[in-house]
Amino acid sequence: MELSSSSGPVSMPMIGFGTAADNNDGATLISAVLESIKLGYRHFDTASFYGSEQALGEAIAEALRLGLIASRDDLFITSKLWPSEAHAHLVLPSLQKSLRTLQLEYLDLYLIHWPITVTPGKREFPFDKQDLMPMDFKSVWAAMEECQRLGLTKSIGVSNFSCKKLENLLSFATIPPSVNQVEMNPVWQQKKLTEFCKPNGIIVTAYSPLGAKGSSWGTNAVMDNEVLKEIAKTRGKTVAQVCLRWIYEQGAAPIVKSYNKERLKENLQIFDWELSEDDYDKIGQIKQRRMMPREELVSAHGPYKSVEELWDGEL
């Protein structure tokens, strides 16, 4: 996928390898990244909050040493700005810290992790309402643009932004966001958001495309969905492959996490077949539910009267 507003042409591989986990064991992650590179993965997604930047950086260095890739340029690396650093004067230092941790000279994509700001130094999640403050979108985005101009990231974008927040950002951005990374899967299809992003040249990347089953924030509702199981059985595919193929056919790029070699391999096998109109009809009937309700993102005390007030009535 070509990122439209990057500093020069940048291609983003269609499937990304995610590194968010409840417990990021460095050795396990390094091994999984090396295995994924051997299988053909080239797009890796991390964030300062995940605690996975160091292990990912070590895995990249090891892949270079082993000759699995010719150069760092063969990879597409994304990281993210946490809300406690979403202050204009902290954006550049936060990116520089991520680069040091990753042992890289530049990122391919740097995202604002959430459309909110919290008190500097406060890294708790869920967010404590008393630490929340309105984001100064103009100054924070101007700092993101400066990071791209300095060559520290080839592209910039956002994560968890609603249509309303994207519309606001586009009204003043000199460099529009290349990407909006959001929760997306057949159980939370994001139709309104994808329809907004496409004509505005914003690529949607999908986190938790399989529902993040087994994680503290995840749900079984995707992998255990009977409609998806039926489609997978009829087609001789896995439920994961059906989900990833559906996301791909929406023009979005899934960020999928697995440390299992066979599943890593299966997740790449989605490009030589298509879903039918009947499959689409069935998927269109799936009851929609968000993996992480907004109420769970923010702890119960603080200055905001309601979660709706914080999120502008949408996410």
Side-chain angles (χ1 to χ4, degrees):
M1 307 184 82
E2 292 294 326
L3 300 190
S4 60
S5 61
S6 51
S7 48
V10 175
S11 294
M12 182 178 74
M14 275 298 311
I15 295 185
F17 179 103
T19 63
D22 287 312
N23 181 21
N24 257 317
D25 173 65
T28 302
L29 180 57
I30 290 169
S31 175
V33 169
L34 290 172
E35 190 60 49
S36 69
I37 289 174
K38 291 175 186 175
L39 291 170
Y41 287 83
R42 294 294 182 267
H43 177 179
F44 294 90
D45 182 272
T46 184
S48 62
F49 185 73
Y50 297 166
S52 59
E53 288 180 327
Q54 182 175 339
L56 177 58
E58 290 175 9
I60 293 169
E62 181 68 4
L64 285 164
R65 189 186 70 80
L66 294 172
L68 300 179
I69 49 175
S71 77
R72 179 266 179 266
D73 296 344
D74 291 345
L75 301 178
F76 187 99
I77 309 297
T78 300
S79 194
K80 308 178 190 77
L81 177 78
W82 191 245
S84 56
E85 279 80 52
H87 303 263
H89 69 289
L90 295 178
V91 174
L92 178 58
S94 182
L95 173 53
Q96 290 170 326
K97 183 179 179 181
S98 286
L99 289 173
R100 288 193 299 272
T101 307
L102 284 159
Q103 304 175 59
L104 298 178
E105 294 182 359
Y106 69 91
L107 294 177
D108 296 278
L109 179 62
Y110 195 46
L111 305 178
I112 297 176
H113 206 148
W114 291 92
I116 56 174
T117 295
V118 302
T119 305
K122 298 284 187 176
R123 296 182 67 83
E124 292 82 6
F125 186 81
F127 309 115
D128 192 325
K129 281 189 182 180
Q130 65 186 3
D131 294 324
L132 291 168
M133 57 188 69
M135 180 185 284
D136 183 344
F137 287 98
K138 287 187 178 180
S139 68
V140 171
W141 190 252
M144 294 285 287
E145 292 178 335
E146 182 61 17
C147 289
Q148 180 169 318
R149 292 190 189 98
L150 290 170
L152 298 177
T153 182
K154 290 188 175 182
S155 303
I156 52 177
V158 296
S159 182
N160 299 301
F161 270 51
S162 64
C163 296
K164 188 173 181 178
K165 285 186 166 63
L166 286 173
E167 199 167 25
N168 175 48
L169 180 57
L170 289 169
S171 72
F172 58 77
T174 303
I175 303 172
S178 295
V179 163
N180 186 21
Q181 184 178 127
V182 296
E183 177 190 346
M184 181 180 175
N185 53 61
V187 178
W188 191 245
Q189 298 181 10
Q190 297 278 20
K191 289 181 180 179
K192 179 183 174 185
L193 187 69
T194 54
E195 287 170 4
F196 177 88
C197 287
K198 193 168 185 178
N200 284 290
I202 301 170
I203 291 173
V204 172
T205 55
Y207 70 74
S208 300
L210 310 180
K213 182 177 180 178
S215 69
S216 61
W217 66 89
T219 176
N220 298 344
V222 180
M223 295 299 284
D224 292 349
N225 183 275
E226 292 301 325
V227 171
L228 298 174
K229 285 182 176 179
E230 180 190 340
I231 293 171
K233 184 178 180 181
T234 301
R235 298 198 147 274
K237 306 294 181 183
T238 66
V239 171
Q241 287 172 328
V242 170
C243 292
L244 297 175
R245 178 69 199 188
W246 177 84
I247 290 169
Y248 170 66
E249 291 187 12
Q250 307 313 300
I255 307 295
V256 64
K257 184 185 89 57
S258 176
Y259 294 166
N260 178 283
K261 180 178 178 180
E262 287 309 308
R263 286 198 291 270
L264 282 168
K265 192 183 298 183
E266 286 175 355
N267 291 342
L268 290 176
Q269 295 168 351
I270 64 166
F271 299 110
D272 59 353
W273 57 281
E274 297 179 353
L275 293 167
S276 67
E277 285 187 26
D278 185 53
D279 294 335
Y280 266 87
D281 289 341
K282 291 174 181 175
I283 292 172
Q285 298 300 313
I286 294 175
K287 183 179 179 181
Q288 295 296 285
R289 55 171 289 187
R290 188 194 306 271
M291 178 178 65
M292 187 184 294
R294 285 167 293 192
E295 290 76 8
E296 294 180 15
L297 299 174
V298 184
S299 61
H301 56 284
Y304 287 87
K305 295 174 185 174
S306 70
V307 175
E308 291 298 318
E309 180 185 347
L310 170 62
W311 296 111
D312 293 335
E314 59 174 325
L315 179 56

